[in-house]
Amino acid sequence: MVRKIRFGNPVHTGAVVNEIAVMENEGNLKFFEKTEQGFCYTMGEKDAVYGLGEANRGINKRGYKYISYCTDDPSHTEEKLSLYGAHNFIIIDGDCTFGVFIDNPGRVTFDVGYEKINELNIIPEYMDLDFYIIEGEGIKDIVRQFRKIIGQSYIPPRWAFGYQQCRWSYMNEDAIREVVKGYEDSGIPLTAVYMDIDYMEAYKDFTVSDERFPDFEDFVKEMKAKNIHLVPIIDAGVKIEQGYDVYEEGAERGYFVKDQEGRDYVTAVWPGLTCFPDFLNPEARHWFGLKYKTLTDKGIDGFWNDMNEPAIFYTQRGIDAVRDILKSESQTEEISIDTLMELKWKLNELANNDSDYKAMYHNMDGQIINHDRIHNLYGYNMTKAAAKGLEEIRPGERTLLFSRSSYIGMHRYAGIWMGDNQAWWSHILLNLKMLPSLNMCGFLYIGADIGGFGSNTTRELLLRWLALGVFTPLMRNHAALGTRLQECFRFEHTEDFKSVISCRYRLLPYLYSEYLKSVYENEMMFKPLSFEYREDEMCRNVEDQLIVGNEIMIAPVYTQNVTGRYVYLPEPMVMVTMYENGEEIKLLEKGIHFVPVPLNRVVFFVRENAKIPVVCTDYGKKLCDNTETVIEGSEITWLGKPEAEYSLYMDNGHSVNQKDDISVMNV
Ligand code: MIG
């Protein structure tokens, strides 16, 4: 059952697609008490709190606080309160089990036993919101009901399930050719290469540098012939430059975000001085969405939307504040420590500053609204613009699309990546922990920068991370400017990488089928053990293993220099140690085991009464190339219990489809 209680006068976020009757009476809050600041629930001692999508720390969120305010912060250290997404859905699981969704795109704080160990306090900055309470038959049913009201998740083209390589940046055609050749020569399958900001001319959206990609259309064809998709980045900010059509049109038609006086609001991001398209305005959205055509016309069929929190490097206001400090100081004497410190602070505060967000205004269906109140809708609507545009540009065809910033509702249009992580072992675990919480919020096409974006990776870290990435729908290796080259073929013994990445292609029939199932049945593809084994107390303590789909469990290695790890089996399972063209199988009893995990293997566990379909590498590659639409029985090997049943979901991999269009084979 879903209840919706309204406070104030909320904006229409589009998160929920079902019509649900509004209850005005706060007495309907049931579990919660309305406090001066927000809403309070007194947690039972054993209550766990799950959810919040892309957020820091544990799968069980209890014991810390989190702030929903989409933030470009490339250093995800443990104390961080906000990341790139804002996903206000949680489930409290204890004596009572129920879900809560706060539909409010401004800043919302979730204090989950931080100030007071037994209090869950939800504190919205603006009290204009819809408060949803969802009750049901157990935790999975609550997720299903929530997913149902927020609408069906995005399905990318099947090729987007292949292994993908990114770097900031491959500077020109030859750099990309070198990467593709490197993979070819080492026999490691590869499906896509990304184009980061340097493919553009002066960081201008929807341009391609003539110098770096002189024959772009031909180049796209050359890559397509090798079954390599090129995926360019699109940034939120539009460069201010006379003669640049995107800027001129946007300015002329009034499609940019405004300041208080109604002038175009100016910030600085990669292109220098920029304007932000007003994605909250449906006309501006339509206009921007159709711009993607400049690239699809050249054969492009995938995009990633970046910097759409939106990220701001500085504004004139910030620069003036810095100058004021310098001016106040005598120019002849030594600079005082106080001034120096203040200066340091001010420089730190230049980027993504609250005052700047508070100075921006949108035109939402004729209503002028301050940015701060709807901050978390910005990246969502940039991506919605792209998705709608691409629907028009490529009717009936799926396009790969994912975004950095997001809000619930965007899951219908695209996927996300988890932003700028680091080549740290702890970030493998953080990657794992966000998967189920994001699934709860409808985000299914998800993944992190494998190998780590910032810092220098190592061969071992990358291999271990890939062994988790084998299971995430978006499997993309990405690294930042200035870091060590991170493509798999740069390291010694490339055959180890070949072995691990090939497992992804071998598992594709299962992973793709479970993906479709999760979309159409409103299921989570990644589940914490505690969601699946409700009676098993031990499972509530396991935060480094997940159930993937319905039939397997994963337990990735996230520690350096180990030959394996401890794994808890809540039931007897078949341990599969997979490699490129085969696997070893071993039956394990329920309980704790030390399991060997060689660096060049992918280890996972098939549940007691289950079996899964896997294929040989070639076949998996063909699925990604969309050259195969039906899996022949002879191509499939089943792992697990032969007499178990499995429903194999399949489609042609590229058309926009509905549930009726897909094939379900019960085996
Ligand atoms: O300010 O385009 O998260 O994936 O490589 C950095 C350059 C801008 C941030 C993205 C990252 C991308 C980078 N971008």
Side-chain angles (χ1 to χ4, degrees), residues 572-576 585-588 604-607 640-641:
M573 292 185 186
V574 176
M575 177 170 82
V576 179
I585 299 287
K586 191 176 173 193
L587 190 68
L588 293 180
F604 61 92
F605 307 84
V606 183
R607 295 173 70 183
K641 204 183 226 169

Side-chain angles (χ1 to χ4, degrees), residues 578-607:
M578 187 178 257
Y579 49 96
E580 196 187 328
N581 42 26
E583 53 274 321
E584 283 140 36
I585 299 287
K586 191 176 173 193
L587 190 68
L588 293 180
E589 285 310 309
K590 172 182 162 128
I592 297 172
H593 302 264
F594 185 85
V595 163
V597 186
L599 256 182
N600 55 1
R601 294 287 187 270
V602 174
V603 172
F604 61 92
F605 307 84
V606 183
R607 295 173 70 183

